[in-house]
Amino acid sequence: MKINLLIVFTILGLLTTSCSKPSQKDYKDASLSIDERVEALLPLLSIEEKVAQMRIFHANIGVEADDEGQLKLSDKVVEKLKLGIAGIKNPAEHISPLAAAKLNNELQKYIIEHNRWGIPALFVTESYNGVDAEGCTKFGRPITSSASFNPSLVNRIWDVVGREARLRGMHMCHSPEADIVRDPRFGRMSEACGEDTYLTTQMVTNAIKGVQGDYEGLSNGTHIGAVAKHFAGYGQVLGGTNFAAIEISERTLIDEIYPPFEAAVKEARTLGIMASHGDLNGIASHGNPELLNGVLRDQWGFEGYVVSDANDIGRLFYFMKVAESPEAAALMGLTAGVDIDLYAEDAYSYLPEMVKNNPDIEKLIDKAVRRVLRTKFILGLFDNPYVDIDKVEKEVRKESSLELAKEADLESVILLKNDNNILPLSKEGNKKIALLGPLVRENTQVAFEAIKGNTNTFVTEKGFKLTDENASIPKLLPYDAEALEKLLTIAKTSDVVVLFLGGDEFTSKEAFFSGALGDRATIDPVGMQDELIQKVKDLGKPTIVVLKHRRTLSINTISKEADAILDGWDLSEFGDNSMAKLIFGEISPSGKLPVTVPRSIGQLPFHYSMKGINNKKGYLFLENGPLYPFGFGLSYTTFKYSNLKISNTEITPNTEITVSVDVTNTGDVEAKEVVQMYLKDEIGSVTRPNKELKGFEKIMLAPGETKSVSFKVTPKMLEFTGLKMERILEAGDYTVMIGTSSEEGLKGKFKLSK
């Protein structure tokens, strides 16, 4: 009997011990770390559920509001959401922010309630003029705000973008672009920040910090995550045509193309990275493990997710021809480190079946799903998945955001020419001013009348359009002598002519994979624009050009004939109002060119920081040099640079030096100036750039005021990729230039000693 009791007590003890062991951690427990919650959830998912967390579809396949504003889902979407989903692109993009917030709450609730584990989805937008959705504040495009040379301004813009996107129920944006754009044939030029590595790095890091609320805004529900794109070299497509190959040296890739992405990861802590459509050294970016794992994750320590560009994993097979089959393409993308398949109905949809034949694939799938789930936990979506409806109308398009859009415009417009100081015009000029040309908008005259003063009057006429405005493949319109004559008739009876010229959203746009074109074989202004300005100038009228465009244009005729040119790229919704303020002198222009303006497409490739040896020869029958250099921009005042000082003529790998200059406003107008510092390596073991921007500061100066502006020169600024393809510091002589553009400034010398 004693033996039997002993056995019983032993069994009871074991049972008690077993019951007292800690249970499986609950991924819903907010007290756990994010990694603990991810590891608690991941093993619960079936292979089909895991793969669902690696796919994003577009809302246009069947997510919409019915006539009463209620959520309406297509059968296709209902089927997709049974297993959960990584995310949905652009839900509710065409309705008001309040209606979008309500619909996205409904959509999120449906998703959570209709997958086994209640996993929320990421709702994804883009941001080229602010949030790309109805009813949000419309800012200028990225290359426009880059012309401000004001990183803190860019940070504030993207802070608004992050807030307005989150308020309407979004969580991520496939922006900003960290690409370097140097070919104006490329239709997507205005989506990026310009030709220079340093300028782009400053703008992109500030954009990411802004949209993510300095990272703190992610979990507290006030901001969204950034997806920096397109990694890497996308802006370097051959011929400037979308989807073309990329031919770029490894040295240029490391020294010039990588840095904005590296800073996006290390400094700005971007949540996502999008891979590039293109290839590097013949290796498709979506199938390049050395790029997406070796560089991005192993070297830079990126912990976020990598998303494909639209359908690009499948295209490894059917377009790029580097995979033998759709299944091979899926495995190639997965092995390379692409975590999310954007849009495709093929590619990662094959993974569950592939795992049956190759169970080891699931280890790669688990890595990808971890990154996606981690992002959702960082964003706080498991604990607070819904929008606070009461905040939407108070916070979206609030007055401070609209004023910021206007402020950004005023700091971004570039004064390219101002002969005889024709600008600014007097508000009390008692003049008849003609607002003419294809880029005149419906509200242009209203915008000018709000600024004009009491005596000036306006007459407005568009005259002609640049294209037939077909969204897919726009066509140039035939010559219209009647429209041209109508414009000239108005010009004859006017005292001043303001011509609105350049390009628009139809002459520069994304060339989609199927059908649509957006790149150009020439960069001259299209249509009758050159003839219009020539004939207006023949009338002897003072002629001011308001230049609007989304790609760099070779504006030779405009530059020759115009008395003044204000270059606005693509401004905010208040662009014409801002132009009127500048024309009438309410503020002085302070923008600087974020690109080099060539005289001819035949000069391409053509950027200020090219190797010095490229400047040896020009072309027959063409004036040498750019039409306008990088960093150029005039003001309504003049600035004098003097007293360049270098704290030490020698720098070592362990020291820094300071370079300073005095800048004086020598005119009678308060204005801002962008003080720019360039460095040149005089002798290198490999051919080196002609010069490189390494610092800038925008300052305000009253008439007669002098300010001293200082820059630190650090060893890091002097690093480059040497003969053995390793980052090095090389002893030798350097020139520093501080000035008003890449071609004008005071120069000094220093030496790097080892």
Side-chain angles (χ1 to χ4, degrees):
M1 188 67 175
K2 288 181 181 180
I3 295 175
N4 289 340
L5 284 173
L6 181 60
I7 293 172
V8 170
F9 284 128
T10 300
I11 294 172
L12 287 173
L14 289 172
L15 289 172
T16 302
T17 302
S18 176
C19 293
S20 66
K21 285 182 180 179
S23 59
Q24 167 71 35
K25 290 179 179 178
D26 186 355
Y27 67 92
K28 295 180 181 180
D29 183 355
S31 69
L32 298 176
S33 70
I34 287 176
D35 287 341
E36 286 175 320
R37 297 178 77 176
V38 169
E39 293 307 318
L41 176 56
L42 183 63
L44 304 177
L45 305 183
S46 68
I47 186 62
E48 290 79 11
E49 289 168 331
K50 289 177 180 178
V51 172
Q53 293 300 315
M54 298 168 64
R55 302 179 68 189
I56 290 176
F57 66 83
H58 199 289
N60 63 11
I61 68 170
V63 178
E64 57 186 336
D66 63 19
D67 293 339
E68 285 74 42
Q70 302 301 307
L71 179 65
K72 180 181 177 182
L73 302 178
S74 67
D75 291 343
K76 186 174 185 178
V77 169
V78 168
E79 186 63 29
K80 281 181 174 291
L81 296 181
K82 287 180 179 178
L83 297 170
I85 196 74
I88 301 175
K89 186 77 176 288
N90 293 342
E93 64 178 325
H94 298 304
I95 58 179
S96 73
L98 180 60
K102 291 177 179 177
L103 193 75
N104 285 333
N105 274 352
E106 271 195 78
L107 178 60
Q108 190 72 278
K109 186 172 186 291
Y110 180 92
I111 292 168
I112 290 170
E113 292 179 350
H114 286 79
N115 71 85
R116 280 200 305 162
W117 309 107
I119 303 175
L122 300 170
F123 299 157
V124 186
T125 185
E126 299 199 32
S127 181
Y128 297 123
N129 291 81
V131 183
D132 286 351
E134 184 72 26
C136 292
T137 306
K138 297 301 178 187
F139 293 97
R141 286 174 91 75
I143 204 165
T144 307
S145 54
S146 188
S148 73
F149 275 70
N150 189 337
S152 64
L153 177 66
V154 169
N155 181 275
R156 290 160 55 208
I157 290 169
W158 285 80
D159 174 75
V160 172
V161 171
R163 292 178 186 277
E164 290 194 345
R166 194 68 181 253
L167 284 163
R168 66 183 295 131
M170 311 307 287
H171 311 112
M172 300 290 295
C173 67
H174 287 166
S175 305
E177 285 197 16
D179 299 311
I180 305 299
V181 285
R182 292 172 171 169
D183 192 334
R185 293 173 295 183
F186 188 42
R188 302 187 70 177
M189 186 176 194
S190 66
E191 298 174 17
C193 295
E195 71 179 42
D196 180 67
T197 299
Y198 181 81
L199 177 63
T200 296
T201 299
Q202 301 310 307
M203 296 302 166
V204 165
T205 53
N206 275 278
I208 294 171
K209 289 177 182 179
V211 83
Q212 294 191 162
D214 283 331
Y215 205 83
E216 299 300 321
L218 302 173
S219 58
N220 65 24
T222 59
H223 291 75
I224 64 173
V227 177
K229 65 184 186 184
H230 307 82
F231 192 58
Y234 180 55
Q236 317 305 306
V237 285
L238 288 179
T241 58
N242 209 7
F243 301 101
I246 294 168
E247 296 291 344
I248 187 170
S249 76
E250 186 179 357
R251 182 169 286 103
T252 300
L253 183 70
I254 295 169
D255 288 353
E256 301 177 34
I257 306 302
Y258 278 171
F261 288 98
E262 184 175 3
V265 171
K266 291 182 175 180
E267 183 182 343
R269 301 173 68 190
T270 185
L271 283 195
I273 291 285
M274 179 179 282
S276 163
H277 281 313
D279 62 338
L280 295 174
N281 195 29
I283 303 172
S285 291
H286 282 73
N288 191 338
E290 184 179 343
L291 178 71
L292 301 181
N293 285 322
V295 174
L296 184 61
R297 293 191 170 104
D298 297 340
Q299 289 184 31
W300 299 347
F302 178 61
E303 295 181 341
Y305 69 73
V306 173
V307 59
S308 76
D309 207 338
N311 300 296
D312 272 357
I313 297 174
R315 288 178 187 153
L316 294 172
F317 165 62
Y318 64 80
F319 177 61
M320 301 197 83
K321 306 295 185 182
V322 294
E324 294 286 346
S325 66
E327 292 81 3
L331 183 57
M332 185 178 289
L334 183 65
T335 303
V338 182
D339 304 308
I340 298 178
D341 185 6
L342 185 65
Y343 299 158
E345 296 297 338
D346 50 16
Y348 282 3
S349 67
Y350 300 128
L351 290 178
E353 193 65 29
M354 292 167 62
V355 168
K356 294 178 182 177
N357 300 319
N358 185 357
D360 287 343
I361 293 175
E362 189 163 4
K363 295 176 183 177
L364 296 174
I365 291 172
D366 285 351
K367 285 185 179 181
V369 177
R370 281 189 181 95
R371 294 172 187 137
V372 177
L373 294 178
R374 178 177 175 272
T375 302
K376 294 181 177 184
F377 279 115
I378 289 171
L379 287 160
L381 297 185
F382 282 86
D383 307 314
N384 186 21
Y386 304 115
V387 180
D388 185 343
I389 299 297
D390 294 335
K391 291 183 178 180
V392 178
E393 289 189 309
K394 299 175 187 175
E395 297 294 324
V396 177
R397 286 185 64 80
K398 61 183 180 180
E399 190 61 30
S400 61
S401 300
L402 304 181
E403 290 301 315
L404 179 59
K406 298 173 186 177
E407 178 188 347
D409 284 350
L410 294 173
E411 288 220 16
S412 301
V413 173
I414 308 150
L415 180 62
L416 293 179
K417 185 179 182 184
N418 193 23
D419 283 358
N420 301 314
N421 293 319
I422 187 175
L423 292 178
L425 299 179
S426 171
K427 287 188 176 183
E428 306 304 324
N430 196 25
K431 294 185 182 298
K432 180 181 178 182
I433 301 172
L435 308 174
L436 309 177
L439 276 302
V440 165
R441 302 301 187 198
E442 288 183 6
N443 65 345
T444 297
Q445 183 166 329
V446 173
F448 272 72
E449 285 176 340
I451 308 298
K452 64 169 186 171
N454 297 321
T455 57
N456 293 310
T457 60
F458 298 93
V459 58
T460 305
E461 177 60 44
K462 186 181 185 75
F464 57 90
K465 297 189 296 184
L466 299 179
T467 68
D468 65 359
E469 299 185 352
N470 181 285
S472 295
I473 306 179
K475 295 180 180 178
L476 295 176
L477 297 172
Y479 186 86
D480 191 339
E482 184 178 340
L484 191 60
E485 186 58 37
K486 185 176 183 180
L487 291 170
L488 294 174
T489 298
I490 296 171
K492 286 175 187 176
T493 61
S494 302
D495 298 305
V496 178
V497 178
V498 181
L499 294 177
F500 291 75
L501 306 176
D504 58 18
E505 66 271 30
F506 299 100
T507 62
S508 181
K509 61 189 185 69
E510 183 174 358
F512 293 114
F513 193 76
S514 299
L517 297 177
D519 310 312
R520 284 187 60 199
T522 70
I523 56 172
D524 296 330
V526 302
M528 302 183 290
Q529 297 185 85
D530 282 351
E531 184 176 354
L532 172 61
I533 191 170
Q534 285 175 320
K535 292 193 171 183
V536 167
K537 196 62 188 297
D538 287 345
L539 298 173
K541 301 294 181 180
T543 304
I544 299 161
V545 169
V546 169
L547 195 64
K548 302 180 178 182
H549 54 119
R550 290 187 173 184
R551 59 156 45 91
T552 306
L553 297 170
S554 49
I555 53 169
N556 296 285
T557 300
I558 291 172
S559 182
K560 177 184 176 183
E561 303 293 349
D563 294 298
I565 304 171
L566 284 167
D567 182 358
W569 282 87
D570 190 297
L571 296 170
S572 79
E573 58 187 290
F574 305 105
D576 284 345
N577 180 274
S578 300
M579 278 294 185
K581 287 182 178 180
L582 290 160
I583 285 174
F584 287 108
E586 288 196 7
I587 191 170
S588 176
S590 63
K592 299 284 186 175
L593 282 171
V595 295
T596 301
V597 180
R599 300 176 185 276
S600 166
I601 196 170
Q603 291 176 294
L604 299 181
F606 196 51
H607 52 277
Y608 87 92
S609 57
M610 294 175 73
K611 296 173 182 178
I613 58 176
N614 288 345
N615 299 322
K616 174 66 175 175
K617 295 289 185 180
Y619 294 92
L620 282 171
F621 321 124
L622 182 72
E623 184 177 346
N624 203 17
L627 188 60
Y628 297 102
F630 174 86
F632 176 81
L634 301 173
S635 171
Y636 290 158
T637 189
T638 52
F639 299 101
K640 179 184 177 182
Y641 285 71
S642 62
N643 200 26
L644 179 70
K645 294 180 180 178
I646 303 176
S647 64
N648 195 323
T649 56
E650 185 173 315
I651 187 174
T652 73
N654 300 310
T655 62
E656 299 177 347
I657 60 175
T658 300
V659 183
S660 64
V661 70
D662 292 340
V663 184
T664 303
N665 182 343
T666 53
D668 56 6
V669 175
E670 181 181 57
K672 291 184 177 182
E673 166 71 338
V674 179
V675 184
Q676 304 161 45
M677 181 185 74
Y678 297 85
L679 298 179
K680 176 180 176 63
D681 185 356
E682 293 294 346
I683 304 290
S685 55
V686 298
T687 52
R688 301 285 285 124
N690 182 46
K691 62 181 69 122
E692 297 174 285
L693 180 69
K694 292 296 183 179
F696 59 84
E697 184 177 345
K698 195 165 197 176
I699 59 172
M700 175 71 85
L701 290 171
E705 182 181 9
T706 298
K707 285 185 179 178
S708 180
V709 179
S710 298
F711 299 98
K712 284 192 181 298
V713 177
T714 67
K716 183 74 174 174
M717 293 178 180
L718 310 180
E719 287 183 358
F720 65 95
T721 302
L723 287 169
K724 297 181 180 179
M725 296 310 297
E726 296 175 347
R727 298 290 289 173
I728 63 168
L729 275 171
E730 198 168 74
D733 295 325
Y734 287 81
T735 297
V736 58
M737 183 184 82
I738 301 182
T740 189
S741 77
S742 61
E743 287 196 351
E744 184 180 350
L746 303 179
K747 295 180 180 179
K749 302 283 188 180
F750 66 91
K751 183 183 293 289
L752 172 64
S753 300
K754 286 298 190 72

